[in-house]
Amino acid sequence: MGVSDKGMMQVKGLAVGYGNGSVPLHSNIDIEVNEGEFICLLGPNGAGKSTLIKTLAGFLKPIQGDVFFNGCSLKQLSESDRSKLVSVVLTDRLQVPNLTVFELVALGRTPYTGFFGKLTPEDVELVNNAISRVGLANYRHKPIDKMSDGERQKAMIAKALVQETPFIILDEPTAFLDLPAKLEIMQLLKRLSCEHGRGILLSTHDLEMALQIADKIWLLAQGRKLQVGIPEDLVLSNDFKSFFEREGVVFDNHSGSFKYHKISHKPVCVKGTGVECQWIERALYRVGYKPVKTECDYSVAVDTDNAHSYSLFKKNTLLLSGNKIEDVLNRLALEYCQ
Amino acid sequence: MQGDIAKGRKKVVFGGLVILLLLLLLMNISLGSVYIPFKMVIKWMLGLGIENEIWGNILLKSRLPQSLTALLAGAALAVGGLQMQTLFRNPLAGPSILGISSGAGLGVAVVVLAFGIFGSLSSLIVSSFGMLTVSFAAFLGAFGVLFVVLFLARKLRNNAMLLIVGIMVGYASSAIVGLLQFFSTKEDIKSYVVWELGSFNNVSWDKHLIFIPLLIAGLIASLFLIKSLNVLLLGENYAANLGLNIKRSRLGILVVTGILTATVTAFCGPIAFLGLAVPHLCKGLFKTADHSVLIPAVMMLGAALALFCNVIARLPGFDGALPINAVTSLIGAPIVVSVILKRRNLSE
C-alpha cells in the first residue's frame, strides 16, 4: 500500500450478487473513485446498480474480489473504522416521529461521539454548519416526518457530511423528487465533491442530468461489462445508445437526450430562427411530422419581427396566421385528413 | 431559539414527573383498605415510629413492598416497551412481543395445571409453598423463551423475522396452556386465571431480594444502550454504516428487555399495556425521539402510571381485590388509541 492509495477507493476483481455460492450478477469489476470526484452510476432497471452500491458500502459481502478505501480492505475494516471512511444515503424512507433535522444530522457524528453519544460544542457547530450547507438552516428543529421528500433527502446528505468520510455513496438520491428538487440535490452534491473534496458515487435514473454534471459515468446493464468514462466519450462511442435504446426510444447523440421514436413520413418545412422555431420543430416531431429545412408542400414560418406569430403555407398560399402553435397543428391535421 | 425553548420545556416536564411520582408514591403508601391517618404515615416515613403496631406492620409488610413492586415493575415494563418499539421500528411493539410473557404463563400453567392433572397437587403447592413456586415456574418459563429467542436472534439477520418468531413462540405457549386448561379442574384453572390477572401484591420482602436487584440491574443496563437505540432509529443499514455492531447491540437490547420483562412477569403476572402505552405517552409529552431523554422519561412515567393503577385497584370499595391487569388495560388501551388518533390527525 503506497502513498498513491490515499484518497482513493479501489475496486479490484469484484464480483457482486446476492447470497454465497450464487452466480454473480457482475464479476471482474475493476474501478476507482478519487477524492473530489463526482461519479454517476447509470443503468436500466434490474441492471444491478443497487447490488453494486450495497456491496461497495459494505452491506453485502463481495462474492469475489475486494474494495479498498485509502488502501484498507473492506473485509478487514471494523464497523467503526468503516464508518469513518464511507457514508451512505439509502433509499429507505425514514419515518421516525418527533426526530428533528438537528437530531438526525447529529446522528452522523456517532462514529466520533463517546459512550452515551453526547455531542461536544465542536460537534454541534459541525452539525449546524452542515445543515446550513444543504440549505435547511430554517428547518433545524423541524421534525423530519413533516418534511417533503426533497428536504428529508437534504437532511440525509447533511448527515453523511458530518460523518466526515472521504467517500459518500448514495443510492438513487433523486428518486421520488420533482425536477427542480432533483436539480437542486445534484448541484448540491456536485458542490460538496468540489469544495469539500469528497469522492461521491451515486446511482440515478436521470441520464440527461448525469451527462451534464458527472465527472465520470459508470454504465451498468445486465449481462454486460461495466463501462467507465467521462460523459462525452461515452456518448460519442455510442455506449449510451447501446445501453439504453430500445424499441420506440432513441438516444439523440446531438442533444444528449432521449426521444420518442416516431415514424414520421410527412415533412413540414420550418422557416425562421430562435427559440420559437425550436419549439415548433419539437411540436411537429411530437405529433408525427418530420421538421425539415428544405422546401416541401407545407411550411411554417415564424415571423422574425413579431416572434409570437406563426404562418402556415401550402406551397405559396397562406392557410393560417396565428400566435399559437396549437392552431398550426390543428390546421395541419385538417389538411392531411382531406 | 426553538431549541432552547424545547430544552426548557423538557426540564419543566421532568420536574412535573418527579413531583407526580412522589405524590403517587405517597398515595400508595397512605391509602388502603385499613384507614391510617395521613399524619401517622408521614411520621412513620420520616422514621419517627408509629403508635399503633398494627399500622406499622401494614405499612412495612404490605404497602411499602407493594408500592416498590409497582414502581419498579412500571419502570421496567416501560423501558422494555420503548426498546422493543425502537428495535423493531414498530409502534405496536411492547415488552411482551418476544413471547416472554407467554413463556412465563406456560411455566405457571405447567405448575398449576399439569401438577393438578397428575395428582391434584396444585392447591397444595399454591397454598403451602405460597406464590414462590409459581414465581419460580414463571421465571423458568420466561427465561426459557428468552433463551430460545436469543438463540434465534443470533441466527436471524432480519429483525422482522425475529418479531414473527417471538409472536409464534407466544402462540405456541398459549396453545399448550389452552391444552392444559382443557384437561384441568375448575379450581386449578381459577388459580391460573388469578395469576394471569396480575398483582403487585405478591412480592414480599424476601422475594424483593431477587426482584429489586434484577430490575435495578436491568434498568441501569438500559442506560448503556441509549446510543445504540438512537442510531437504530435510522434502521439497521444506516446504523451499521454509522459504526454500530448490529448483532451485538441487538443482543444487548434483547437481554435487557428480556430480564426486565421476565422478572416482572414472574413475580406480578403478565401486566398488559403499560409497556406499550408509556413510551407513546412520553414521545408525545417530550416531542423527541432521543433516547437519552426517553429512557429516563419512560422509567419515571412507567413507575407513575403503575402506581396510579395500583391506587385505582385499591380504591375504597374494591378492598384491594381488583386485578391490576384489568386496571392497566382499561387505562392503557384508551391512551394508545388516543395517541394513535392524534398522530393520524397531525400527519394529515
Side-chain angles (χ1 to χ4, degrees), chain B residues 205-237:
Chain B
W205 280 116
D206 49 343
K207 282 196 215 168
H208 264 315
L209 286 179
I210 308 167
F211 191 76
I212 292 177
L214 272 176
L215 290 190
I216 295 279
L219 290 175
I220 289 174
S222 74
L223 296 176
F224 291 88
L225 295 168
I226 285 173
K227 189 176 174 181
S228 306
L229 287 166
N230 275 340
V231 184
L232 278 170
L233 282 175
L234 304 184
E236 282 177 57
N237 281 339

Side-chain angles (χ1 to χ4, degrees), chain B residues 2-322:
Chain B
Q2 206 185 339
D4 291 334
I5 296 170
K7 260 182 202 162
R9 199 185 116 90
K10 266 168 209 159
K11 274 183 191 154
V12 171
V13 180
F14 262 122
L17 269 181
V18 172
I19 294 169
L20 183 73
L21 196 56
L22 289 175
L23 230 85
L24 282 164
L25 195 61
L26 205 61
M27 275 172 85
N28 263 269
I29 293 174
S30 56
L31 295 179
S33 51
V34 175
Y35 172 76
I36 301 172
F38 193 63
K39 258 189 198 164
M40 294 295 148
V41 175
I42 297 288
K43 225 176 135 187
W44 176 79
M45 283 180 78
L46 293 174
L48 298 172
I50 199 158
E51 290 141 40
N52 189 331
E53 205 169 307
I54 299 170
W55 288 352
N57 265 337
I58 290 176
L59 290 174
L60 182 68
K61 292 193 176 153
S62 164
R63 290 192 192 168
L64 190 61
Q66 190 181 355
S67 306
L68 265 181
T69 310
L71 184 107
L72 284 171
L77 291 174
V79 168
L82 176 67
Q83 290 191 336
M84 290 302 100
Q85 287 174 10
T86 302
L87 179 66
F88 292 116
R89 303 176 82 197
N90 186 336
L92 285 178
S96 59
I97 202 124
L98 297 172
I100 291 169
S101 321
S102 315
L106 182 62
V108 174
V110 167
V111 169
V112 177
L113 305 173
F115 279 79
I117 296 165
F118 304 109
S120 75
L121 269 166
S122 70
S123 52
L124 190 74
I125 288 169
V126 174
S127 56
S128 62
F129 293 91
M131 290 300 283
L132 194 60
T133 318
V134 171
S135 297
F136 186 67
F139 211 73
L140 277 187
F143 275 91
V145 169
L146 176 61
F147 283 123
V148 171
V149 171
L150 289 180
F151 174 75
L152 289 169
R154 288 168 52 116
K155 303 249 161 199
L156 298 173
R157 283 188 126 224
N158 192 327
N159 275 347
M161 289 201 278
L162 185 63
L163 189 68
I164 293 170
V165 167
I167 293 171
M168 288 307 129
V169 169
Y171 276 130
S173 327
S174 306
I176 299 174
V177 171
L179 263 179
L180 287 171
Q181 283 181 328
F182 184 75
F183 292 111
S184 298
T185 59
K186 261 188 199 163
E187 292 74 35
D188 291 336
I189 292 177
K190 168 112 201 226
S191 9
Y192 177 76
V193 168
V194 166
W195 174 83
E196 214 180 16
L197 285 171
S199 168
F200 291 138
N201 226 338
N202 298 323
V203 191
S204 51
W205 280 116
D206 49 343
K207 282 196 215 168
H208 264 315
L209 286 179
I210 308 167
F211 191 76
I212 292 177
L214 272 176
L215 290 190
I216 295 279
L219 290 175
I220 289 174
S222 74
L223 296 176
F224 291 88
L225 295 168
I226 285 173
K227 189 176 174 181
S228 306
L229 287 166
N230 275 340
V231 184
L232 278 170
L233 282 175
L234 304 184
E236 282 177 57
N237 281 339
Y238 277 122
N241 180 253
L242 287 167
L244 191 75
N245 184 325
I246 298 287
K247 277 195 172 176
R248 202 184 300 155
S249 32
R250 184 169 69 176
L251 205 66
I253 292 168
L254 290 178
V255 166
V256 169
T257 299
I259 289 177
L260 291 174
T261 314
T263 310
V264 172
T265 314
F267 288 99
C268 308
I271 309 287
F273 274 109
L274 266 182
L276 180 59
V278 172
H280 283 296
L281 270 178
C282 283
K283 286 171 196 168
L285 210 56
F286 287 91
K287 299 251 179 304
T288 183
D290 183 358
H291 288 79
S292 62
V293 176
L294 285 178
I295 291 266
V298 297
M299 281 183 194
M300 290 163 74
L301 195 62
L305 199 60
L307 286 170
F308 177 69
C309 291
N310 200 39
V311 168
I312 300 268
R314 288 191 327 190
L315 273 183
F318 297 143
D319 283 338
L322 218 60

Side-chain angles (χ1 to χ4, degrees), chain A residues 18-31:
Chain A
Y18 277 95
N20 281 333
S22 63
V23 182
L25 276 172
H26 294 278
S27 45
N28 294 321
I29 302 173
D30 293 286
I31 30 177

Side-chain angles (χ1 to χ4, degrees), chain A residues 169-325:
Chain A
I169 295 180
L170 306 96
D171 196 3
E172 299 197 21
T174 55
F176 314 118
L177 303 184
D178 58 28
L179 196 63
K182 275 180 201 227
L183 278 166
E184 213 184 338
I185 295 279
M186 289 292 257
Q187 275 171 359
L188 170 67
L189 288 169
K190 171 83 179 180
R191 269 210 318 274
L192 296 179
S193 81
C194 292
E195 293 167 16
H196 294 238
R198 312 285 173 96
I200 293 185
L201 167 67
L202 63 92
S203 64
T204 177
H205 282 290
D206 299 300
L207 287 94
E208 294 170 30
M209 217 181 289
L211 277 177
Q212 289 177 39
I213 206 167
D215 292 327
K216 245 182 218 165
I217 283 179
W218 297 359
L219 282 176
L220 197 64
Q222 206 178 358
R224 294 185 58 169
K225 201 163 163 45
L226 183 81
Q227 290 290 328
V228 179
I230 67 164
E232 294 76 13
D233 283 340
L234 288 175
V235 169
L236 293 175
S237 65
N238 281 336
D239 276 313
F240 255 85
K241 263 190 191 301
S242 67
F243 268 81
F244 291 101
E245 271 189 5
R246 60 194 74 175
E247 204 161 329
V249 184
V250 182
F251 185 78
D252 182 10
N253 276 359
H254 288 283
S255 66
S257 63
F258 286 93
K259 285 193 168 158
Y260 301 104
H261 187 63
K262 288 236 167 105
I263 308 147
S264 41
H265 288 305
K266 306 155 205 164
V268 175
C269 174
V270 180
K271 291 170 183 166
T273 50
V275 65
E276 283 84 3
C277 203
Q278 247 177 44
W279 282 96
I280 226 166
E281 279 178 10
R282 257 178 100 128
L284 289 169
Y285 186 87
R286 175 168 61 81
V287 184
Y289 302 102
K290 189 177 178 188
V292 291
K293 288 287 177 196
T294 51
E295 208 64 48
C296 50
D297 282 359
Y298 291 94
S299 58
V300 185
V302 180
D303 194 331
T304 35
D305 298 328
N306 180 5
H308 277 296
S309 168
Y310 313 100
S311 324
L312 177 66
F313 295 93
K314 182 178 187 180
K315 300 285 185 192
N316 284 326
T317 24
L318 179 69
L319 292 176
L320 172 114
S321 183
N323 51 15
K324 269 192 169 174
I325 299 178

Side-chain angles (χ1 to χ4, degrees), chain A residues 59 79 82-83 86-90 94 96 98 103-104 107 110-111 113-117 141 156 159 163, chain B residues 1-3 89 223-224 226-227 230-231 233-234 237-238 240-245 283 287-290 343:
Chain A
F59 297 132
E79 285 98 343
R82 194 181 65 202
S83 67
V86 57
S87 51
V88 294
V89 174
L90 305 166
L94 216 55
V96 187
N98 297 328
E103 287 171 326
L104 169 68
L107 285 176
T110 304
T113 55
F115 199 78
F116 289 100
H141 297 289
M156 291 312 304
K159 182 232 70 163
Q163 211 175 326
Chain B
M1 236 176 80
Q2 206 185 339
R89 303 176 82 197
L223 296 176
F224 291 88
I226 285 173
K227 189 176 174 181
N230 275 340
V231 184
L233 282 175
L234 304 184
N237 281 339
Y238 277 122
N241 180 253
L242 287 167
L244 191 75
N245 184 325
K283 286 171 196 168
K287 299 251 179 304
T288 183
D290 183 358
R343 187 176 297 164

